[in-house]
Amino acid sequence: MAGKSYNKILIATDGSDNAKNAIFSGMNLAGLLGAKIYAVCVLPTHPASSMPIGSRMMRWEVPFDVMREEGTKAVNEVVEVAKINGVDAEPVLLEGHPAEEILKYAQDNDIDLIVLGTLGKTGLTRLLLGSVAENVLRHSPVEVLVVR
């Protein structure tokens, strides 16, 4: 039985501590498999979008250009870690609903594996929106690794 080949790995990041475990897991896989990483951060265009609890980006009085700065910093940090580890990586900054944009990017770019962390959302926000990880897992056309 032949295993699945992972040549393109999307690692979703929002710059939070919760994303770090996913980044390291995805990075390790990419290094072992010789895969390319696509470091993806989605800038929400609606205040009800899923953002890490406590994140500076969660406060909507913060201008969108500050969110773009933080998103750029998040993907560039992944690229820097990849360089140190000898892994090819590309930064990707998207706008929209995080789960939808991650899924669309994966489909449009023939991604083999999506790696993302859990955010541990609870209460009304999770009831109304669900978590990004849950939505990606339910609707992904490709394999998904959710890291705690």
Side-chain angles (χ1 to χ4, degrees), residues 24-75:
F24 292 125
S25 292
M27 192 76 58
N28 286 337
L29 276 173
L32 290 170
L33 301 171
K36 180 174 181 176
I37 289 176
Y38 296 83
V40 174
C41 181
V42 182
L43 304 176
T45 53
H46 186 277
S49 293
S50 301
M51 291 307 307
I53 295 170
S55 168
R56 188 170 154 207
M57 293 185 346
M58 192 173 179
R59 295 189 296 258
W60 286 93
E61 69 274 6
V62 176
F64 192 75
D65 59 336
V66 173
M67 290 193 319
R68 181 177 302 285
E69 243 177 65
E70 290 186 8
T72 300
K73 180 180 174 190
V75 295

